[in-house]
Amino acid sequence: MEVDLITGFLGVGKTTFIRSYLKYLEKKGQKAAVIENEFGSVDIDSQLLQDTGCSISSLAGECMCCTGKDTFRHMLIDAAEEGVDRVLVEPSGIYDVDEFFDVMLREPVKSRCEIGSILTLVDTCMDAAITDESRYLVFAQLLAAGTVVMSKTQLFDEAQVQTTIDQMNALIREHGGSRVLSSDVVVKDWNSFTDEDFEGFMASGYHLVDHEKELIDHGEVFQSCMLASRCVDEKDLRERIRDLMTNPRYGVVMRLKGHIRSLENVWYEMNCSPDACSLCACNVRRGVFVVIGQQLNEKAIAEEAFIPRKTGH
C-alpha cells in the first residue's frame, strides 16, 4: 500500500487539494483512504471530506508526531489489511515531517506500506513573519517534499511567485540545507489541474535528507481552543474574524476553521488564516469551530471575539 503525505503549514489548503486528488484516484479506479489529524479535539477537516465517499479515519485530540504516533501506525496497518491501494495522510499544519519517516521506515509499518509521495503545499504569499518554531516545521516539510505545490497562484503575479520561491530557498539555507527549489515547484491554478498533473503528484516521491533536528513540544508551543459561539450576520462575522486575526490581545492566531450560526439563523463555514479567509453560507449545522495559534488568550477569545452562546442568543 502506498502512502502519500499531504503536508503544509496552517491554512494552506490541504483539505481542498485532497478533495481533488481523491476524485482523480477514484477515476483511476484506486481504492483510496484518508487519515486526518487535527491539532485539537475538534475534527473539522474530516467533516469537510465526508461527501467524498472515501474511507476517512480521524486522529483528533492527539498529535501524529508524538502522542498519537502508535495510533497512526495502527491506522496504516488496518488500511493495508483492508486492501486499500493508496492512503492520503493529512496531518495538522504544525506536523514535524521527520516523524513520518520514523513511522514509515520502521516495522510493523515498513513491511506493509511504502511512501508514495510527499507533497508540501505552500501559500503563494508566504508569511515571512512566522515564528521560529513554525519556520523550522516549514523547512522540514520543504526539505522532504518530492514536489512543492503553491496555492492561490491565480491571485498573484509572477513577481510574487518568484519572491515566495526565493523565500523558501532562503528558509532552507537558514537551517543549513543545500536543496534549491526550482522545477520541483508546481505553480498553477488548482482549478486547472489535469490528469497529467495528478499523475505527476503520484510519482513525485520524496527526499530523505539528514539535517539538524529541532525538538518541538507541540502542546507547549502551539495551542488550540474550541468554541461554540454566534455572530450577528456576515458583515459582523467578517469584522470579528479580522479583529481576531490582527488584535494582539488574542495572541498569535494562525488558523480559524469550522462552522458558526448567525442571529439570523444562517450557518457559515469559516476557513481562515492571516493572509486569506474563506467564508460562505453552508448547510452544516454543527456550530463548532477551532482557533489555533501561539500564546492564545483563550478567555478573551471565548468572551470577546464572538457572541458567547451563554448570552442566550
Side-chain angles (χ1 to χ4, degrees):
M1 183 182 75
E2 289 192 281
V3 181
D4 290 347
L5 180 69
I6 315 297
T7 190
F9 200 60
L10 295 163
V12 76
K14 295 187 293 295
T15 305
T16 300
F17 180 87
I18 286 174
R19 288 179 68 88
S20 297
Y21 198 174
L22 286 173
K23 289 179 182 178
Y24 174 71
L25 293 175
E26 181 182 12
K27 178 180 177 181
K28 194 176 174 66
Q30 289 212 341
K31 183 178 181 181
V34 177
I35 296 178
E36 288 276 352
N37 182 210
E38 294 277 8
F39 182 76
S41 58
V42 187
D43 188 10
I44 301 295
D45 288 339
S46 65
Q47 297 173 11
L48 302 177
L49 291 170
Q50 284 180 351
D51 63 347
T52 62
C54 176
S55 172
I56 302 169
S57 301
S58 175
L59 181 60
E62 294 183 280
C63 179
M64 198 181 282
C65 293
C66 40
T67 58
K69 215 168 178 180
D70 285 339
T71 305
F72 178 41
R73 288 190 184 96
H74 289 301
M75 285 178 167
L76 289 171
I77 293 169
D78 289 345
E81 292 178 350
E82 290 169 6
V84 171
D85 297 312
R86 202 172 195 97
V87 168
L88 307 185
V89 177
E90 180 182 2
S92 73
I94 53 175
Y95 183 61
D96 186 348
V97 71
D98 292 324
E99 301 303 323
F100 179 70
F101 290 120
D102 190 56
V103 170
M104 292 297 302
L105 301 180
R106 293 174 182 264
E107 296 294 356
V109 175
K110 182 179 179 180
S111 58
R112 296 171 172 85
C113 310
E114 65 178 355
I115 302 174
S117 296
I118 295 181
L119 304 172
T120 296
L121 313 187
V122 175
D123 273 322
T124 301
C125 188
M126 189 176 177
D127 184 1
I130 57 176
T131 62
D132 290 343
E133 296 88 358
S134 302
R135 291 179 69 80
Y136 170 74
L137 294 174
V138 175
F139 154 73
Q141 293 168 3
L142 292 173
L143 200 64
T147 295
V148 174
V149 185
M150 296 182 71
S151 69
K152 311 181 187 80
T153 55
Q154 69 276 15
L155 303 178
F156 302 94
D157 58 21
E158 292 183 7
Q160 179 58 56
V161 169
Q162 187 58 53
T163 294
T164 300
I165 293 174
D166 292 342
Q167 286 178 312
M168 290 190 288
N169 285 323
L171 184 58
I172 292 173
R173 291 194 302 271
E174 174 187 318
H175 288 84
S178 60
R179 183 180 184 182
V180 178
L181 298 170
S182 56
S183 60
D184 40 9
V185 179
V186 173
V187 180
K188 190 173 184 178
D189 183 345
W190 290 8
N191 292 320
S192 62
F193 280 156
T194 64
D195 290 354
E196 184 178 358
D197 291 321
F198 284 110
E199 277 294 315
F201 296 145
M202 289 181 68
S204 292
Y206 60 94
H207 292 264
L208 182 57
V209 182
D210 286 336
H211 64 90
E212 186 174 347
K213 183 173 174 56
E214 295 183 18
L215 298 177
I216 298 176
D217 187 332
H218 295 76
E220 291 293 329
V221 176
F222 301 95
Q223 298 87 42
S224 69
C225 58
M226 180 182 71
L227 297 173
S229 303
R230 305 288 286 276
C231 63
V232 177
D233 53 23
E234 182 176 345
K235 180 176 181 294
D236 172 67
L237 180 56
R238 290 189 182 278
E239 291 174 352
R240 290 176 184 273
I241 292 173
R242 187 181 303 110
D243 184 51
L244 178 69
M245 291 288 182
T246 58
N247 192 333
R249 171 170 175 72
Y250 300 119
V252 181
V253 177
M254 300 174 170
R255 192 79 164 91
L256 168 67
K257 59 182 176 179
H259 304 91
I260 189 172
R261 182 168 62 171
S262 73
L263 300 185
E264 299 173 336
N265 209 30
V266 177
W267 288 86
Y268 294 97
E269 179 179 299
M270 303 177 291
N271 196 339
C272 304
S273 55
D275 67 321
C277 185
S278 172
L279 179 63
C280 60
C282 67
N283 294 320
V284 177
R285 289 172 167 77
R286 292 185 177 88
V288 177
F289 58 94
V290 65
V291 178
I292 302 172
Q294 293 183 262
Q295 297 94 46
L296 294 182
N297 184 340
E298 296 186 28
K299 186 174 187 296
I301 293 172
E303 296 180 357
E304 302 172 19
F306 298 90
I307 300 175
R309 284 274 292 272
K310 66 183 180 182
T311 63
H313 289 297

